[in-house]
Amino acid sequence: MNRLKLATFIFIAATVNAVNAEQDRVGGTLGYGEYGRPATIDPITSNDMIALRLTELIFNGLVGINEKQEIVPDLAEKWEVDKEGKNYTFYLRKNAKWHPKGADEPQPFTAEDVVFTFKIMAHPKTITPLKVRYEFIDTVEKIDNYTVKFVLKRPILNALAKFTFKIIPKHGPNNTNYLTREDPFVQRPIGTGPYMLKEVTANQEVVLIANPNYFGAKANIAQFVAKPFADQNIMMQALTFNAIDMIVTVNPRNLPELQGDKRFVLQPYNALSYAFFGYNVRNPMLNDARVRKAFTLAINRDEMLKSFFNGQGTVISGPFAPGSWAYNLDVKPQPFDKAKAAELLKEAGFQAGSDGILEKGGKKLALTLKVPIEKENEAVKRVVLAFKNYLKSVGADVQVSFMEWQAWKESIFAQHDFDIIFASWVFDDSADISSLFHSAEIGAWKNNFGGYTSPEVDGLIVESKLTLDHEKRRTIYRKLHEVLADEAPYTFLWTLTNYSAYHKKVRHVSIHPYKFFPYASSWFISGDESKI
């Protein structure tokens, strides 16, 4: 009898402790540092990683991809694909609601929202980097309120994985035909995701709060705050002085300091990304591939990587993210060769002027390099100043302009007012580079900002989209890599090993390689520090 009472008591105590532990997981605010601020926060017009990370918290796709890289239900509970691989029918969940718009009650998510999203995304007047990626879809049709059918123009490889694109509400944008960057929705979006936008503060902090009506497992952390920084040193100070709890990407020069601080966890993640110098080929001096190749040969990328990033990365040769299946390992990075660079510039018709600067047709080889940061960022400042000095040694005069992030984006993507930029791309696992180098992607707010055109590259990109054979696509991509390495619309630099740093009070952190936040609903802030 006594044993039975004792067993019963232990079971009840364990249950109470489990409930308390579960309650302790809920609440708190996580402030995280971002290097810059997003221009827009919707998933259609935005084209920067800061916005992509936010849209992962605010929106959902028809399907998702879990930590094992398996396709899983999201807004669609199930789906059917016909034998030809052209008809995709999605059966939508009936318990998803949109975040409230203003003082309105949350509206239900339906098939009309899916149809609306695709049509507005495909509209010619909607400026989005997504358009080229979904050109394989022919039509979308609402079957009933919770069933939608997509008909493809042709079967494609891994089509289901592409239906992760985020769905926006029909009642969201003011203009229901096409979406512009002037629409209020792009700054105050509403989604179906685990977090919803509360406000953007006067300091441009983006404040998200947990969605109480979320159809899935409710988020543990009550509030996420994205805090923009123009300088990585100040962001690092904010972390060490507890002004923020997390940095998405740590400056490699700060890693030793963080490794010695027991308050923080350093977590590596292998983003599919690389840094580059991109050229505006609208400038006649840069339209000659020999000039662009000379610039690549003139800089010592190995030395820059070692000196400025503690060697924590790999020099690359071409347009695909290293580590992806599409990267052509047989194409080696061009070695540092100042003599060969000078020879190519001479072949291109340049001769040294009286001041040592190369000239052609009476015009000096004088170029502007625009960089989207403030001067205080030491690592990037050193990279671009080293680039300037390397090019000076072969007779090119480069003037560096450090610009505020938003002004830089306007100058590069909208006005195309630049000669060279320093930037980086982060990729998903589709290895689709069509928006970067296809001639159809030249225009305002499109990703082929440099105006690069090549009939051969266009043809290879189109061919890669038409094949259903994965190995054939790999072969096409290997050729694309080879051609673009030779054409050099970019000087491809390196991929870095990324590290996130966060306070040890933040638990159960799992980071997605390029979207970062897809698993953030299960993160929590431990113990008493979670109380708000």
Side-chain angles (χ1 to χ4, degrees), residues 278-284 286-287 416-421 449-451 489:
Y279 302 108
N280 190 346
V281 301
R282 300 174 185 86
N283 182 331
L286 295 172
N287 193 38
H416 304 135
D417 178 21
F418 70 99
D419 295 319
I420 310 172
I421 69 164
F449 51 81

Side-chain angles (χ1 to χ4, degrees), residues 50-63:
I50 300 172
L52 176 64
R53 288 189 275 270
L54 287 167
T55 58
E56 280 301 306
L57 296 169
I58 299 171
F59 295 90
N60 296 94
L62 290 173
V63 300

Side-chain angles (χ1 to χ4, degrees), residues 17-18 36 43 58 84 98 173 188 221 229 253 282 301 307 359 395 410 419 421 436 497:
N17 288 338
I58 299 171
E84 289 74 29
W98 293 104
R188 295 201 61 82
I221 297 174
F229 291 85
R253 299 178 68 85
R282 300 174 185 86
R301 290 174 288 175
S307 299
E359 297 179 356
E410 289 280 346
D419 295 319
I421 69 164
L436 308 186
T497 302

Side-chain angles (χ1 to χ4, degrees), residues 78 92 129 145 162 183 411 479 516:
K78 59 181 181 178
L92 310 179
N145 277 346
K162 292 184 179 289
D183 196 298
S411 182
K479 180 62 177 176
F516 202 83

Side-chain angles (χ1 to χ4, degrees), residues 257-363:
E257 179 182 349
L258 287 170
Q259 286 168 340
D261 194 324
K262 294 182 180 180
R263 294 176 298 163
F264 302 109
V265 177
L266 272 175
Q267 186 162 327
Y269 61 101
N270 296 316
L272 299 173
S273 64
Y274 61 73
F276 63 92
F277 288 103
Y279 302 108
N280 190 346
V281 301
R282 300 174 185 86
N283 182 331
M285 292 189 178
L286 295 172
N287 193 38
D288 189 327
R290 291 173 295 187
V291 175
R292 304 190 299 266
K293 285 192 283 188
F295 289 177
T296 299
L297 288 162
I299 66 173
N300 191 335
R301 290 174 288 175
D302 287 303
E303 183 60 32
M304 294 164 77
L305 181 64
K306 180 180 178 181
S307 299
F308 307 144
F309 298 99
N310 298 329
Q312 294 179 342
T314 305
V315 173
I316 65 169
S317 63
F320 296 102
S324 80
W325 56 270
Y327 189 86
N328 188 345
L329 291 169
D330 292 335
V331 179
K332 303 301 180 184
Q334 290 288 334
F336 173 51
D337 192 335
K338 182 178 172 181
K340 178 65 174 174
E343 181 183 327
L344 282 173
L345 290 167
K346 185 177 180 180
E347 286 180 15
F350 288 93
Q351 294 182 336
S354 58
D355 57 359
I357 303 300
L358 294 178
E359 297 179 356
K360 180 180 179 180
K363 293 186 177 181

Side-chain angles (χ1 to χ4, degrees), residues 98-170:
W98 293 104
H99 304 156
K101 185 176 183 179
D104 296 342
E105 288 295 314
Q107 295 191 29
F109 157 75
T110 71
E112 288 191 4
D113 299 306
V114 180
V115 174
F116 170 78
T117 298
F118 178 75
K119 288 187 174 180
I120 205 169
M121 187 168 64
H123 194 284
K125 290 187 177 181
T126 296
I127 304 300
T128 174
L130 300 176
K131 198 182 272 56
V132 68
R133 188 173 181 191
Y134 296 102
E135 55 78 30
F136 69 91
I137 298 174
D138 188 20
T139 61
V140 58
E141 175 189 2
K142 170 189 169 183
I143 304 301
D144 59 41
N145 277 346
Y146 295 98
T147 310
V148 64
K149 178 181 177 181
F150 286 84
V151 179
L152 311 191
K153 296 175 184 175
R154 59 188 182 277
I156 67 165
L157 279 172
N158 302 320
L160 190 58
K162 292 184 179 289
F163 287 96
T164 55
F165 68 84
K166 304 302 184 186
I167 307 301
I168 68 171
K170 186 176 180 179

